[in-house]
Short mmCIF file of all heavy atoms in Angstrom, two decimals:
data_model
loop_
_atom_site.label_atom_id
_atom_site.label_comp_id
_atom_site.label_asym_id
_atom_site.label_seq_id
_atom_site.Cartn_x
_atom_site.Cartn_y
_atom_site.Cartn_z
N LEU A 30 -3.55 -11.87 -8.72
CA LEU A 30 -3.36 -11.08 -9.93
C LEU A 30 -2.54 -9.82 -9.49
O LEU A 30 -2.87 -9.18 -8.50
CB LEU A 30 -4.72 -10.68 -10.48
CG LEU A 30 -4.73 -9.65 -11.56
CD1 LEU A 30 -4.20 -10.31 -12.87
CD2 LEU A 30 -6.12 -9.11 -11.79
N VAL A 31 -1.54 -9.54 -10.33
CA VAL A 31 -0.74 -8.30 -10.16
C VAL A 31 -0.92 -7.53 -11.46
O VAL A 31 -0.81 -8.10 -12.56
CB VAL A 31 0.72 -8.61 -9.97
CG1 VAL A 31 1.54 -7.36 -9.90
CG2 VAL A 31 0.92 -9.43 -8.64
N ARG A 32 -1.29 -6.20 -11.29
CA ARG A 32 -1.44 -5.39 -12.52
C ARG A 32 -0.91 -4.01 -12.18
O ARG A 32 -0.66 -3.66 -11.05
CB ARG A 32 -2.88 -5.36 -12.83
CG ARG A 32 -3.80 -4.71 -11.89
CD ARG A 32 -5.16 -4.45 -12.41
NE ARG A 32 -6.14 -3.98 -11.43
CZ ARG A 32 -6.20 -2.76 -10.87
NH1 ARG A 32 -5.21 -1.86 -11.16
NH2 ARG A 32 -7.04 -2.46 -9.98
N ALA A 33 -0.74 -3.21 -13.24
CA ALA A 33 -0.30 -1.84 -13.09
C ALA A 33 -1.39 -1.10 -12.32
O ALA A 33 -2.57 -1.27 -12.52
CB ALA A 33 -0.16 -1.18 -14.46
N ALA A 34 -0.91 -0.20 -11.38
CA ALA A 34 -1.82 0.65 -10.68
C ALA A 34 -2.35 1.76 -11.53
O ALA A 34 -1.67 2.25 -12.44
CB ALA A 34 -1.16 1.18 -9.42
N GLY A 35 -3.59 2.15 -11.29
CA GLY A 35 -4.19 3.30 -11.95
C GLY A 35 -4.79 4.29 -10.97
O GLY A 35 -4.95 4.01 -9.80
N VAL A 36 -5.24 5.36 -11.54
CA VAL A 36 -5.85 6.41 -10.70
C VAL A 36 -7.04 5.93 -9.95
O VAL A 36 -7.34 6.36 -8.84
CB VAL A 36 -6.07 7.73 -11.54
CG1 VAL A 36 -7.20 7.52 -12.50
CG2 VAL A 36 -6.38 8.91 -10.64
N GLU A 37 -7.75 4.95 -10.52
CA GLU A 37 -8.89 4.34 -9.88
C GLU A 37 -8.53 3.57 -8.54
O GLU A 37 -9.37 3.25 -7.79
CB GLU A 37 -9.68 3.45 -10.87
CG GLU A 37 -8.90 2.24 -11.22
CD GLU A 37 -7.92 2.32 -12.35
OE1 GLU A 37 -7.67 3.44 -12.79
OE2 GLU A 37 -7.40 1.31 -12.77
N ASP A 38 -7.27 3.33 -8.39
CA ASP A 38 -6.79 2.59 -7.21
C ASP A 38 -6.38 3.52 -6.06
O ASP A 38 -6.10 3.05 -4.95
CB ASP A 38 -5.61 1.71 -7.58
CG ASP A 38 -5.97 0.66 -8.62
OD1 ASP A 38 -6.87 -0.13 -8.37
OD2 ASP A 38 -5.25 0.54 -9.59
N LEU A 39 -6.33 4.80 -6.29
CA LEU A 39 -5.77 5.71 -5.34
C LEU A 39 -6.41 5.60 -4.00
O LEU A 39 -5.69 5.52 -2.93
CB LEU A 39 -5.88 7.18 -5.89
CG LEU A 39 -5.21 8.25 -5.03
CD1 LEU A 39 -3.74 8.03 -4.76
CD2 LEU A 39 -5.45 9.66 -5.66
N SER A 40 -7.73 5.75 -3.85
CA SER A 40 -8.30 5.72 -2.56
C SER A 40 -8.22 4.37 -1.89
O SER A 40 -8.04 4.33 -0.61
CB SER A 40 -9.87 6.15 -2.62
OG SER A 40 -10.58 5.20 -3.47
N THR A 41 -8.22 3.25 -2.65
CA THR A 41 -8.05 1.95 -2.07
C THR A 41 -6.62 1.82 -1.50
O THR A 41 -6.42 1.30 -0.42
CB THR A 41 -8.35 0.91 -3.10
OG1 THR A 41 -9.59 1.11 -3.65
CG2 THR A 41 -8.26 -0.49 -2.56
N VAL A 42 -5.64 2.30 -2.20
CA VAL A 42 -4.23 2.19 -1.72
C VAL A 42 -4.07 3.03 -0.48
O VAL A 42 -3.40 2.62 0.46
CB VAL A 42 -3.26 2.66 -2.88
CG1 VAL A 42 -1.84 2.82 -2.37
CG2 VAL A 42 -3.27 1.67 -4.03
N GLU A 43 -4.61 4.24 -0.50
CA GLU A 43 -4.58 5.06 0.71
C GLU A 43 -5.14 4.39 1.94
O GLU A 43 -4.55 4.39 3.01
CB GLU A 43 -5.35 6.40 0.53
CG GLU A 43 -4.70 7.46 -0.34
CD GLU A 43 -5.44 8.71 -0.42
OE1 GLU A 43 -6.54 8.69 -0.97
OE2 GLU A 43 -4.89 9.71 0.02
N ALA A 44 -6.29 3.78 1.79
CA ALA A 44 -6.90 3.05 2.89
C ALA A 44 -6.07 1.82 3.26
O ALA A 44 -6.01 1.47 4.49
CB ALA A 44 -8.34 2.64 2.58
N PHE A 45 -5.51 1.20 2.27
CA PHE A 45 -4.74 -0.08 2.55
C PHE A 45 -3.50 0.26 3.35
O PHE A 45 -3.14 -0.54 4.25
CB PHE A 45 -4.35 -0.70 1.18
CG PHE A 45 -3.51 -1.93 1.35
CD1 PHE A 45 -4.11 -3.10 1.66
CD2 PHE A 45 -2.22 -1.91 1.10
CE1 PHE A 45 -3.31 -4.29 1.79
CE2 PHE A 45 -1.38 -3.05 1.24
CZ PHE A 45 -2.00 -4.19 1.60
N ILE A 46 -2.75 1.42 3.08
CA ILE A 46 -1.50 1.58 3.73
C ILE A 46 -1.69 2.30 5.09
O ILE A 46 -0.80 2.26 5.96
CB ILE A 46 -0.47 2.44 2.84
CG1 ILE A 46 -0.98 3.82 2.63
CG2 ILE A 46 -0.16 1.69 1.57
CD1 ILE A 46 0.13 4.69 1.99
N GLN A 47 -2.86 2.86 5.32
CA GLN A 47 -3.06 3.67 6.61
C GLN A 47 -2.76 2.84 7.87
O GLN A 47 -2.08 3.32 8.74
CB GLN A 47 -4.47 4.26 6.62
CG GLN A 47 -4.67 5.20 7.77
CD GLN A 47 -3.77 6.30 7.77
OE1 GLN A 47 -3.32 6.88 6.79
NE2 GLN A 47 -3.30 6.72 9.00
N PRO A 48 -3.21 1.60 7.93
CA PRO A 48 -2.95 0.88 9.25
C PRO A 48 -1.43 0.61 9.39
O PRO A 48 -0.92 0.66 10.56
CB PRO A 48 -3.63 -0.53 9.05
CG PRO A 48 -4.76 -0.23 8.04
CD PRO A 48 -4.21 0.88 7.14
N PHE A 49 -0.68 0.51 8.37
CA PHE A 49 0.79 0.35 8.41
C PHE A 49 1.43 1.59 8.83
O PHE A 49 2.41 1.56 9.56
CB PHE A 49 1.31 -0.20 7.10
CG PHE A 49 0.74 -1.51 6.67
CD1 PHE A 49 -0.22 -1.60 5.67
CD2 PHE A 49 1.26 -2.72 7.27
CE1 PHE A 49 -0.74 -2.85 5.36
CE2 PHE A 49 0.72 -3.95 6.89
CZ PHE A 49 -0.30 -3.99 5.97
N VAL A 50 0.92 2.70 8.41
CA VAL A 50 1.42 4.04 8.84
C VAL A 50 1.12 4.25 10.35
O VAL A 50 2.02 4.57 11.07
CB VAL A 50 0.75 5.22 8.08
CG1 VAL A 50 1.12 6.60 8.59
CG2 VAL A 50 1.20 5.14 6.56
N GLU A 51 -0.02 3.87 10.80
CA GLU A 51 -0.43 4.04 12.20
C GLU A 51 0.48 3.11 13.11
O GLU A 51 0.71 3.46 14.28
CB GLU A 51 -1.91 3.71 12.36
CG GLU A 51 -2.82 4.76 11.77
CD GLU A 51 -4.28 4.42 11.78
OE1 GLU A 51 -4.63 3.30 12.22
OE2 GLU A 51 -5.07 5.16 11.24
N GLN A 52 0.87 1.95 12.53
CA GLN A 52 1.73 1.04 13.29
C GLN A 52 3.24 1.50 13.23
O GLN A 52 4.06 0.86 13.90
CB GLN A 52 1.63 -0.33 12.74
CG GLN A 52 0.26 -1.01 12.95
CD GLN A 52 0.15 -2.27 12.09
OE1 GLN A 52 1.06 -2.77 11.52
NE2 GLN A 52 -1.08 -2.80 12.04
N GLY A 53 3.55 2.50 12.43
CA GLY A 53 4.91 2.93 12.28
C GLY A 53 5.76 1.97 11.41
O GLY A 53 6.94 2.13 11.36
N ARG A 54 5.02 1.23 10.53
CA ARG A 54 5.74 0.33 9.68
C ARG A 54 5.99 0.92 8.27
O ARG A 54 6.86 0.47 7.49
CB ARG A 54 4.94 -1.00 9.48
CG ARG A 54 4.80 -1.65 10.91
CD ARG A 54 3.96 -2.86 10.80
NE ARG A 54 4.80 -3.98 10.31
CZ ARG A 54 4.38 -5.15 9.98
NH1 ARG A 54 3.09 -5.39 10.07
NH2 ARG A 54 5.17 -6.07 9.54
N LEU A 55 5.24 1.96 7.91
CA LEU A 55 5.40 2.76 6.66
C LEU A 55 5.37 4.18 7.00
O LEU A 55 4.76 4.58 7.94
CB LEU A 55 4.25 2.45 5.71
CG LEU A 55 4.26 1.21 4.87
CD1 LEU A 55 3.05 1.09 4.01
CD2 LEU A 55 5.48 1.04 4.06
N LEU A 56 6.16 4.96 6.23
CA LEU A 56 6.05 6.43 6.34
C LEU A 56 4.75 6.94 5.73
O LEU A 56 4.27 6.38 4.80
CB LEU A 56 7.24 7.04 5.60
CG LEU A 56 8.62 6.78 6.18
CD1 LEU A 56 9.72 7.30 5.21
CD2 LEU A 56 8.76 7.32 7.56
N PRO A 57 4.21 7.99 6.32
CA PRO A 57 2.99 8.55 5.75
C PRO A 57 3.19 9.09 4.37
O PRO A 57 4.24 9.58 4.07
CB PRO A 57 2.60 9.67 6.73
CG PRO A 57 3.72 9.81 7.70
CD PRO A 57 4.67 8.68 7.48
N ARG A 58 2.14 8.94 3.52
CA ARG A 58 2.21 9.47 2.19
C ARG A 58 0.98 10.27 1.99
O ARG A 58 -0.14 9.96 2.33
CB ARG A 58 2.20 8.35 1.15
CG ARG A 58 3.35 7.35 1.27
CD ARG A 58 4.56 7.91 0.72
NE ARG A 58 5.69 6.92 0.78
CZ ARG A 58 6.90 7.19 1.09
NH1 ARG A 58 7.26 8.46 1.31
NH2 ARG A 58 7.82 6.26 1.18
N THR A 59 1.15 11.49 1.38
CA THR A 59 -0.02 12.33 1.01
C THR A 59 -0.70 11.75 -0.19
O THR A 59 -0.09 10.94 -0.89
CB THR A 59 0.40 13.79 0.80
OG1 THR A 59 1.29 13.74 -0.36
CG2 THR A 59 1.20 14.40 1.95
N THR A 60 -1.87 12.22 -0.43
CA THR A 60 -2.64 11.80 -1.60
C THR A 60 -1.80 12.16 -2.82
O THR A 60 -1.65 11.41 -3.81
CB THR A 60 -3.99 12.46 -1.64
OG1 THR A 60 -4.72 12.04 -0.49
CG2 THR A 60 -4.74 12.04 -2.87
N ASP A 61 -1.23 13.38 -2.82
CA ASP A 61 -0.41 13.85 -3.99
C ASP A 61 0.79 12.90 -4.19
O ASP A 61 1.17 12.57 -5.32
CB ASP A 61 0.08 15.30 -3.81
CG ASP A 61 -1.10 16.20 -3.96
OD1 ASP A 61 -2.16 15.91 -4.51
OD2 ASP A 61 -0.93 17.38 -3.41
N GLU A 62 1.47 12.47 -3.17
CA GLU A 62 2.68 11.66 -3.24
C GLU A 62 2.18 10.28 -3.85
O GLU A 62 2.91 9.72 -4.73
CB GLU A 62 3.27 11.38 -1.87
CG GLU A 62 4.01 12.58 -1.38
CD GLU A 62 4.53 12.33 0.02
OE1 GLU A 62 3.81 11.91 0.91
OE2 GLU A 62 5.77 12.56 0.24
N LEU A 63 1.14 9.66 -3.37
CA LEU A 63 0.63 8.38 -3.88
C LEU A 63 0.23 8.57 -5.36
O LEU A 63 0.53 7.66 -6.15
CB LEU A 63 -0.53 7.90 -3.04
CG LEU A 63 -0.18 7.35 -1.70
CD1 LEU A 63 -1.44 6.97 -0.90
CD2 LEU A 63 0.77 6.11 -1.74
N GLU A 64 -0.32 9.62 -5.69
CA GLU A 64 -0.82 9.87 -7.08
C GLU A 64 0.51 9.86 -8.01
O GLU A 64 0.39 9.37 -9.09
CB GLU A 64 -1.60 11.17 -7.23
CG GLU A 64 -2.25 11.29 -8.50
CD GLU A 64 -3.27 12.43 -8.54
OE1 GLU A 64 -3.24 13.27 -7.57
OE2 GLU A 64 -4.08 12.41 -9.41
N LEU A 65 1.55 10.50 -7.55
CA LEU A 65 2.79 10.50 -8.33
C LEU A 65 3.40 9.10 -8.44
O LEU A 65 4.12 8.91 -9.43
CB LEU A 65 3.74 11.48 -7.67
CG LEU A 65 3.46 12.95 -7.83
CD1 LEU A 65 4.36 13.74 -6.99
CD2 LEU A 65 3.39 13.42 -9.24
N LEU A 66 3.16 8.28 -7.48
CA LEU A 66 3.72 6.89 -7.50
C LEU A 66 2.94 5.96 -8.40
O LEU A 66 3.43 4.94 -8.88
CB LEU A 66 3.75 6.34 -6.08
CG LEU A 66 4.79 6.89 -5.12
CD1 LEU A 66 4.61 6.27 -3.82
CD2 LEU A 66 6.20 6.67 -5.63
N LEU A 67 1.68 6.27 -8.66
CA LEU A 67 0.81 5.30 -9.41
C LEU A 67 1.36 4.94 -10.74
O LEU A 67 1.30 3.77 -11.15
CB LEU A 67 -0.60 5.95 -9.57
CG LEU A 67 -1.43 5.91 -8.27
CD1 LEU A 67 -2.79 6.58 -8.56
CD2 LEU A 67 -1.61 4.50 -7.70
N PRO A 68 1.94 5.84 -11.55
CA PRO A 68 2.45 5.49 -12.89
C PRO A 68 3.55 4.38 -12.84
O PRO A 68 3.64 3.60 -13.84
CB PRO A 68 2.90 6.73 -13.53
CG PRO A 68 2.19 7.79 -12.85
CD PRO A 68 1.96 7.26 -11.37
N SER A 69 4.26 4.33 -11.72
CA SER A 69 5.29 3.30 -11.59
C SER A 69 4.89 2.24 -10.56
O SER A 69 5.77 1.47 -10.10
CB SER A 69 6.65 3.94 -11.19
OG SER A 69 6.52 4.58 -9.92
N GLY A 70 3.61 2.18 -10.25
CA GLY A 70 3.09 1.28 -9.25
C GLY A 70 2.40 0.05 -9.79
O GLY A 70 1.95 0.03 -10.92
N PHE A 71 2.28 -0.88 -8.89
CA PHE A 71 1.57 -2.18 -9.18
C PHE A 71 0.69 -2.46 -7.95
O PHE A 71 1.11 -2.27 -6.79
CB PHE A 71 2.55 -3.29 -9.47
CG PHE A 71 3.34 -3.04 -10.69
CD1 PHE A 71 4.54 -2.32 -10.64
CD2 PHE A 71 2.93 -3.50 -11.90
CE1 PHE A 71 5.22 -2.11 -11.77
CE2 PHE A 71 3.65 -3.30 -13.09
CZ PHE A 71 4.82 -2.61 -12.93
N VAL A 72 -0.44 -3.01 -8.24
CA VAL A 72 -1.34 -3.55 -7.12
C VAL A 72 -1.38 -5.05 -7.28
O VAL A 72 -1.37 -5.68 -8.36
CB VAL A 72 -2.67 -2.93 -7.16
CG1 VAL A 72 -2.66 -1.44 -6.85
CG2 VAL A 72 -3.40 -3.10 -8.55
N ALA A 73 -1.45 -5.69 -6.13
CA ALA A 73 -1.76 -7.17 -6.05
C ALA A 73 -3.10 -7.34 -5.54
O ALA A 73 -3.46 -6.80 -4.50
CB ALA A 73 -0.71 -7.85 -5.14
N LEU A 74 -3.90 -8.14 -6.28
CA LEU A 74 -5.31 -8.36 -5.91
C LEU A 74 -5.37 -9.81 -5.52
O LEU A 74 -4.92 -10.73 -6.21
CB LEU A 74 -6.27 -8.01 -7.01
CG LEU A 74 -6.15 -6.61 -7.57
CD1 LEU A 74 -7.01 -6.42 -8.80
CD2 LEU A 74 -6.59 -5.63 -6.49
N LEU A 75 -6.15 -10.12 -4.49
CA LEU A 75 -6.48 -11.42 -3.99
C LEU A 75 -8.04 -11.56 -3.89
O LEU A 75 -8.51 -10.81 -3.02
CB LEU A 75 -5.80 -11.72 -2.71
CG LEU A 75 -6.01 -13.04 -2.09
CD1 LEU A 75 -5.50 -14.17 -3.05
CD2 LEU A 75 -5.38 -13.22 -0.73
N ASP A 76 -8.60 -12.27 -4.62
CA ASP A 76 -10.07 -12.44 -4.65
C ASP A 76 -10.81 -11.05 -4.82
O ASP A 76 -11.77 -10.74 -4.20
CB ASP A 76 -10.65 -13.08 -3.33
CG ASP A 76 -10.14 -14.48 -3.15
OD1 ASP A 76 -10.01 -15.22 -4.25
OD2 ASP A 76 -9.89 -14.92 -2.04
N GLY A 77 -10.18 -10.26 -5.71
CA GLY A 77 -10.77 -8.88 -6.02
C GLY A 77 -10.44 -7.88 -5.04
O GLY A 77 -10.84 -6.71 -5.24
N GLN A 78 -9.72 -8.16 -3.96
CA GLN A 78 -9.45 -7.20 -2.87
C GLN A 78 -7.93 -6.81 -2.98
O GLN A 78 -7.10 -7.69 -3.28
CB GLN A 78 -9.76 -7.81 -1.50
CG GLN A 78 -11.14 -8.13 -1.36
CD GLN A 78 -12.01 -6.92 -1.32
OE1 GLN A 78 -11.74 -5.90 -0.63
NE2 GLN A 78 -13.20 -6.98 -2.00
N LEU A 79 -7.59 -5.61 -2.66
CA LEU A 79 -6.22 -5.16 -2.67
C LEU A 79 -5.41 -5.92 -1.60
O LEU A 79 -5.81 -6.03 -0.43
CB LEU A 79 -6.13 -3.65 -2.38
CG LEU A 79 -4.71 -3.03 -2.47
CD1 LEU A 79 -4.25 -3.17 -3.88
CD2 LEU A 79 -4.74 -1.61 -1.98
N GLY A 80 -4.35 -6.55 -1.97
CA GLY A 80 -3.47 -7.34 -1.07
C GLY A 80 -2.11 -6.75 -0.96
O GLY A 80 -1.39 -7.12 -0.05
N GLY A 81 -1.77 -5.80 -1.79
CA GLY A 81 -0.49 -5.16 -1.80
C GLY A 81 -0.35 -4.12 -2.81
O GLY A 81 -1.06 -4.00 -3.82
N PHE A 82 0.63 -3.16 -2.56
CA PHE A 82 0.98 -2.08 -3.45
C PHE A 82 2.48 -1.88 -3.42
O PHE A 82 3.05 -1.89 -2.35
CB PHE A 82 0.27 -0.81 -3.11
CG PHE A 82 0.69 0.38 -3.91
CD1 PHE A 82 0.34 0.57 -5.24
CD2 PHE A 82 1.52 1.26 -3.34
CE1 PHE A 82 0.69 1.61 -5.92
CE2 PHE A 82 2.01 2.42 -4.10
CZ PHE A 82 1.56 2.54 -5.40
N ALA A 83 3.06 -1.76 -4.54
CA ALA A 83 4.54 -1.43 -4.63
C ALA A 83 4.71 -0.49 -5.76
O ALA A 83 4.08 -0.57 -6.76
CB ALA A 83 5.34 -2.70 -4.80
N ALA A 84 5.69 0.42 -5.64
CA ALA A 84 6.08 1.35 -6.69
C ALA A 84 7.59 1.44 -6.68
O ALA A 84 8.25 1.41 -5.71
CB ALA A 84 5.43 2.75 -6.49
N LEU A 85 8.10 1.61 -7.93
CA LEU A 85 9.53 1.81 -8.04
C LEU A 85 9.83 3.29 -8.43
O LEU A 85 9.36 3.73 -9.51
CB LEU A 85 10.13 0.86 -9.16
CG LEU A 85 11.58 0.94 -9.39
CD1 LEU A 85 12.32 0.38 -8.11
CD2 LEU A 85 11.92 0.08 -10.59
N GLU A 86 10.45 3.98 -7.59
CA GLU A 86 10.80 5.35 -7.86
C GLU A 86 12.30 5.38 -8.35
O GLU A 86 13.21 5.08 -7.56
CB GLU A 86 10.64 6.24 -6.63
CG GLU A 86 10.86 7.71 -7.02
CD GLU A 86 10.29 8.68 -5.95
OE1 GLU A 86 9.59 8.24 -5.07
OE2 GLU A 86 10.58 9.87 -6.11
N VAL A 87 12.45 5.76 -9.64
CA VAL A 87 13.82 5.75 -10.20
C VAL A 87 14.44 7.18 -10.05
O VAL A 87 13.78 8.13 -10.49
CB VAL A 87 13.76 5.34 -11.69
CG1 VAL A 87 15.13 5.39 -12.29
CG2 VAL A 87 13.12 3.95 -11.84
N TYR A 88 15.58 7.18 -9.45
CA TYR A 88 16.38 8.41 -9.22
C TYR A 88 17.39 8.67 -10.30
O TYR A 88 17.71 9.78 -10.66
CB TYR A 88 16.96 8.46 -7.86
CG TYR A 88 15.97 8.35 -6.70
CD1 TYR A 88 15.98 7.27 -5.85
CD2 TYR A 88 15.02 9.41 -6.50
CE1 TYR A 88 15.06 7.21 -4.83
CE2 TYR A 88 14.10 9.31 -5.42
CZ TYR A 88 14.16 8.18 -4.61
OH TYR A 88 13.20 8.09 -3.62
N SER A 89 17.98 7.60 -10.76
CA SER A 89 19.07 7.70 -11.80
C SER A 89 19.20 6.25 -12.37
O SER A 89 18.56 5.34 -11.97
CB SER A 89 20.39 8.11 -11.21
OG SER A 89 20.98 7.11 -10.40
N ASN A 90 20.09 6.14 -13.34
CA ASN A 90 20.43 4.78 -13.95
C ASN A 90 20.93 3.82 -12.90
O ASN A 90 20.81 2.58 -13.17
CB ASN A 90 21.32 4.95 -15.05
CG ASN A 90 20.82 5.61 -16.29
OD1 ASN A 90 19.56 5.64 -16.45
ND2 ASN A 90 21.62 6.17 -17.17
N LYS A 91 21.41 4.30 -11.83
CA LYS A 91 22.01 3.41 -10.79
C LYS A 91 21.32 3.38 -9.46
O LYS A 91 21.69 2.69 -8.55
CB LYS A 91 23.52 3.77 -10.59
CG LYS A 91 24.35 3.53 -11.82
CD LYS A 91 25.80 3.87 -11.47
CE LYS A 91 26.73 3.54 -12.73
NZ LYS A 91 28.07 3.76 -12.40
N LEU A 92 20.28 4.19 -9.32
CA LEU A 92 19.62 4.32 -8.00
C LEU A 92 18.11 4.36 -8.16
O LEU A 92 17.60 5.18 -8.92
CB LEU A 92 20.14 5.49 -7.25
CG LEU A 92 19.59 5.78 -5.87
CD1 LEU A 92 20.03 4.66 -4.94
CD2 LEU A 92 20.09 7.14 -5.41
N ALA A 93 17.45 3.43 -7.45
CA ALA A 93 15.97 3.45 -7.43
C ALA A 93 15.54 2.99 -6.02
O ALA A 93 16.30 2.37 -5.26
CB ALA A 93 15.45 2.48 -8.50
N GLU A 94 14.28 3.29 -5.69
CA GLU A 94 13.76 2.92 -4.37
C GLU A 94 12.44 2.19 -4.60
O GLU A 94 11.58 2.70 -5.31
CB GLU A 94 13.58 4.20 -3.56
CG GLU A 94 12.96 3.96 -2.20
CD GLU A 94 12.65 5.24 -1.45
OE1 GLU A 94 12.84 6.29 -2.01
OE2 GLU A 94 12.28 5.12 -0.29
N LEU A 95 12.30 1.14 -3.92
CA LEU A 95 11.04 0.41 -3.87
C LEU A 95 10.19 0.98 -2.75
O LEU A 95 10.68 0.98 -1.61
CB LEU A 95 11.30 -1.15 -3.65
CG LEU A 95 10.11 -2.05 -3.76
CD1 LEU A 95 9.54 -2.00 -5.14
CD2 LEU A 95 10.48 -3.48 -3.45
N ARG A 96 8.99 1.47 -3.10
CA ARG A 96 8.21 2.22 -2.11
C ARG A 96 6.93 1.58 -1.90
O ARG A 96 6.34 0.96 -2.76
CB ARG A 96 7.99 3.64 -2.66
CG ARG A 96 9.37 4.28 -2.88
CD ARG A 96 9.32 5.68 -3.18
NE ARG A 96 8.65 6.50 -2.10
CZ ARG A 96 8.44 7.80 -2.23
NH1 ARG A 96 8.89 8.46 -3.29
NH2 ARG A 96 7.87 8.48 -1.31
N SER A 97 6.45 1.75 -0.71
CA SER A 97 5.08 1.37 -0.25
C SER A 97 4.81 -0.11 -0.50
O SER A 97 3.68 -0.46 -0.94
CB SER A 97 4.00 2.25 -0.90
OG SER A 97 4.19 3.59 -0.49
N LEU A 98 5.75 -0.95 -0.14
CA LEU A 98 5.55 -2.33 -0.34
C LEU A 98 4.79 -2.86 0.73
O LEU A 98 5.04 -2.66 1.93
CB LEU A 98 6.92 -3.05 -0.45
CG LEU A 98 6.94 -4.60 -0.65
CD1 LEU A 98 6.27 -4.92 -1.97
CD2 LEU A 98 8.35 -5.05 -0.55
#
């Protein structure tokens, strides 16, 4: 199941990405940064557990960045 991310997902997303940050595979994100990404974010759930998070940060009509995949 893929659904829009909500504020209720914040702590789960933080915990989910932390191992990837520690491995150097993702840049660290503060709680405030992640909270700003939630309105444009999506979570993927597998058997009720978080399996992924992605957010699209739009900079202009021609430029956007896929974040925290």
Side-chain angles (χ1 to χ4, degrees):
L30 171 72
V31 175
R32 64 166 173 76
V36 70
E37 68 277 6
D38 298 307
L39 184 58
S40 63
T41 306
V42 169
E43 282 183 299
F45 179 78
I46 68 170
Q47 188 57 39
F49 298 101
V50 170
E51 291 170 1
Q52 295 168 8
R54 300 177 81 188
L55 282 178
L56 293 173
R58 302 283 181 216
T59 66
T60 300
D61 290 340
E62 286 174 313
L63 287 174
E64 192 169 13
L65 290 173
L66 290 175
L67 289 178
S69 63
F71 295 87
V72 292
L74 303 174
L75 180 62
D76 296 326
Q78 299 292 316
L79 184 65
F82 172 76
L85 184 65
E86 185 162 352
V87 178
Y88 299 114
S89 72
N90 288 339
K91 295 184 178 183
L92 182 64
E94 178 184 5
L95 188 59
R96 299 188 60 180
S97 296
L98 180 63

